[in-house]
Amino acid sequence: MNEELLMEVLSQSRKKYGCVSEIGRMTKELAEALSRNDKVSAQLLLEMRGEEMAKADTCEKNIRLLVEEAGIQDRERLECLLYRKGEYGKSEEESGQEAFLVKQINDVNTKIRDILKNAITVDKVVSKRMAGEESFYKE
């Protein structure tokens, strides 16, 4: 796989990780603000979190564009790596640098998934508390 492509995917993944980390932190702070009944802080945190979500979406769109522009074989391998679609098979031509970049991309995206999983868990509680029956997560 093209090292330049992998480096750009890694760069965008790291940017997304930074945004997602902030989203996770702000979600926890939002829950704390609501437990204190601090509506001003909660509103501010919701707005700031929304801005970080928009930045994370931009990174994701950039990653998807990179994947779409890759050749068919690289596209399939990147989709496996990034979105867990199928089995990621190491190419025979993959250099040590490419293997290193693939591992870095995998590690960053695993961290992103873990943070999002935790943030969603907290957000469900917050949403149900704030919106009750109108919650996004209503059962």
Side-chain angles (χ1 to χ4, degrees):
M1 204 176 326
N2 181 334
E3 283 184 33
E4 289 177 27
L5 173 62
L6 289 172
M7 289 178 69
E8 187 57 33
V9 169
L10 179 58
S11 173
Q12 289 296 318
S13 294
R14 285 179 174 160
K15 287 179 187 176
K16 182 179 173 184
Y17 171 77
C19 296
V20 169
S21 292
E22 280 300 298
I23 292 166
R25 182 187 64 76
M26 286 184 216
T27 301
K28 289 176 186 172
E29 286 185 22
L30 175 62
E32 292 168 6
L34 289 172
S35 70
R36 296 187 312 266
N37 233 4
D38 184 351
K39 292 179 181 174
V40 173
S41 293
Q43 185 61 40
L44 183 62
L45 286 163
L46 282 170
E47 291 172 15
M48 292 180 350
R49 189 176 74 158
E51 292 169 6
E52 287 300 319
M53 287 178 178
K55 290 178 191 175
D57 283 346
T58 298
C59 293
E60 181 59 29
K61 286 176 187 170
N62 292 339
I63 291 168
R64 288 193 185 273
L65 282 173
L66 290 167
V67 170
E68 288 172 14
E69 293 171 358
I72 186 105
Q73 190 175 17
D74 287 348
R75 183 179 320 130
E76 289 174 357
R77 293 181 71 225
L78 282 169
E79 286 175 346
C80 290
L81 178 64
L82 294 166
Y83 309 116
R84 305 284 191 201
K85 293 182 179 178
E87 182 85 19
Y88 178 82
K90 182 179 176 182
S91 169
E92 295 298 321
E93 305 91 45
E94 194 169 87
S95 72
Q97 179 66 15
E98 287 171 327
F100 175 77
L101 292 170
V102 164
K103 182 177 180 343
Q104 293 293 306
I105 292 167
N106 185 56
D107 291 349
V108 169
N109 282 284
T110 297
K111 290 176 185 176
I112 288 171
R113 282 188 288 278
D114 291 345
I115 292 169
L116 286 175
K117 183 179 175 184
N118 291 334
I120 289 168
T121 300
V122 173
D123 194 59
K124 282 181 182 179
V125 173
V126 168
S127 179
K128 288 177 182 176
R129 182 165 179 227
M130 287 177 62
E133 292 292 317
E134 302 297 315
S135 172
F136 175 80
Y137 299 103
K138 65 183 172 193
E139 293 174 29

